[in-house]
Amino acid sequence: MAYETIITEVRESVGIIRFNRPKALNAINAKVIEELGLALEMMENDSNIAAIVLTGNEKAFAAGADINEMVGKNFVELHKDDFIKPWERIAECRKPIIAAVAGFALGGGCEIAMMCDFILAADNAKFGQPEILIGTIPGAGGTQRLTRLVGKSKAMEMILTGRMMDAKEAERVGLVSRVFPISEYLDQAIKTGKTIAGLSRPVVVIAREAVNSAYETTLNEGVMAERRLFRSTFALEDRREGMESFLDKRKPQFRNI
Ligand code: DAK
């Protein structure tokens, strides 16, 4: 399918979605969100795809929501249009999704990266929630996800000042899982996607659900949920194959059942 604002590609079992508004540093307008939703839907329904990489270009992952589109909006319109719902689509993705970030990931760009399962960054990446500098606050989960990821002090400082964080700092505080040279970050993200794609798909789904429950529950509830999910892997042939192949000293042949 041809899109206007994104480019999609499939490499083996990894779907790749690139933001493609380079002149506007990949600023995210309604069309981007619409097309991103369609591409995710298509990749979720494609049984050849087991993991997704979401990326931009070397200058920008995305420099935020498109300010041209937001400038004329008023309170009633935002309420009426339910502006937030289509953005949350990324957080609801049913397959593992990796953000591969180079350059600017600001405002809504940073928020979209944080909706992904994890973030791999290039060494030139810059993260920030600069909404305060244009008279507003994060609106796509930034005050919540950034705070959970990096803690109150760092999140509050960034959100109150609009300061950008470089890749090194982002890795140190846990916003980013790994940093690579700019020449490697995308290949590394795709390679990571392929690694995940080579594992048992139902077990990957169960593992994601267990980690994600850490955001929504008390520790005790989360540990109980993990226990139930752990037990559920014992209903899978892939669990038996994984353990037996280890004991047989051979590579597992997962069949996703
Ligand atoms: N929107 C529109 N255009 C943008 C843009 C943006 N966010 N960011 C950059 N551009 C455009 C610039 O206007 C410029 O266009 P031309 O003048 O060439 O036509 C072009 O990209 C290149 O930008 P610069 O000339 O400024 O490039 P520099 O390298 O000098 O600076 C920069 C790069 C990233 C530091 C700077 O462009 C910048 O500060 N950009 C704005 C960053 C920002 O404020 N981002 C936060 C936007 S607010 C919600 C969902 C999401 C959101 C809210 C609610 N709901 C679902 C409820 C999100 C809000 C936001 O993200």
Side-chain angles (χ1 to χ4, degrees):
M1 177 166 174
Y3 298 100
E4 257 175 56
T5 62
I6 59 170
I7 296 171
T8 60
E9 184 190 338
V10 181
R11 285 201 212 164
E12 293 170 34
S13 42
V14 178
I16 303 163
I17 303 174
R18 293 169 201 262
F19 295 122
N20 186 34
R21 298 189 71 215
K23 287 190 188 140
L25 299 180
N26 290 334
I28 302 156
N29 58 18
K31 191 76 188 165
V32 174
I33 289 296
E34 182 198 331
E35 293 190 338
L36 180 55
L38 290 171
L40 288 173
E41 185 83 18
M42 190 273 286
M43 290 185 180
E44 283 173 346
N45 292 334
D46 182 341
S47 57
N48 290 321
I49 295 177
I52 298 168
V53 170
L54 179 60
T55 192
N57 57 44
E58 293 196 351
K59 188 143 191 236
F61 177 77
D66 192 321
I67 299 169
N68 297 299
E69 207 176 63
M70 278 189 299
V71 64
K73 287 202 189 285
N74 64 36
F75 176 86
V76 176
E77 281 172 319
L78 290 186
H79 245 284
K80 200 160 52 75
D81 294 349
D82 198 7
F83 185 44
I84 185 84
K85 191 73 192 142
W87 285 68
E88 282 293 328
R89 176 69 185 78
I90 301 129
E92 290 160 7
C93 182
R94 287 184 283 115
K95 290 187 174 168
I97 177 163
I98 303 167
V101 174
F104 298 110
L106 303 177
C110 187
E111 289 170 309
I112 285 182
M114 291 189 292
M115 287 177 199
C116 295
D117 287 319
F118 56 93
I119 304 174
L120 299 178
D123 49 15
N124 76 338
K126 282 193 161 41
F127 298 86
Q129 297 290 162
E131 290 88 343
I132 199 121
L133 305 177
I134 55 167
T136 184
I137 70 165
T143 62
Q144 305 305 300
R145 291 196 176 91
L146 187 64
T147 307
R148 281 166 165 78
L149 285 166
V150 306
K152 177 185 164 187
S153 186
K154 185 71 77 179
M156 191 69 97
E157 183 232 339
M158 290 188 64
I159 288 166
L160 294 188
T161 65
R163 178 176 77 82
M164 291 184 212
M165 200 191 263
D166 66 18
K168 231 187 219 164
E169 183 180 2
E171 184 182 32
R172 183 164 49 76
V173 300
L175 175 59
V176 152
S177 80
R178 295 172 73 192
V179 178
F180 298 100
I182 181 96
S183 56
E184 284 176 30
Y185 82 103
L186 188 55
D187 287 343
Q188 291 286 350
I190 295 166
K191 191 173 152 200
T192 305
K194 285 182 186 166
T195 300
I196 295 169
L199 302 171
S200 164
R201 294 191 192 179
V203 178
V204 167
V205 169
I206 291 170
R208 283 181 91 213
E209 192 179 328
V211 174
N212 283 331
S213 72
Y215 277 98
E216 313 292 345
T217 57
T218 63
L219 176 62
N220 195 43
E221 285 163 346
V223 168
M224 295 308 284
E226 180 194 79
R227 200 168 297 171
R228 287 190 293 275
L229 288 164
F230 168 75
R231 278 188 210 124
S232 74
T233 65
F234 282 69
L236 296 169
E237 288 183 20
D238 281 347
R239 192 280 315 167
R240 180 180 295 278
E241 166 64 10
M243 294 187 179
E244 285 182 356
S245 67
F246 174 81
L247 295 175
D248 295 346
K249 301 191 188 303
R250 60 176 173 82
K251 274 201 167 159
Q253 298 290 321
F254 293 123
R255 293 189 296 137
N256 303 320
I257 50 176

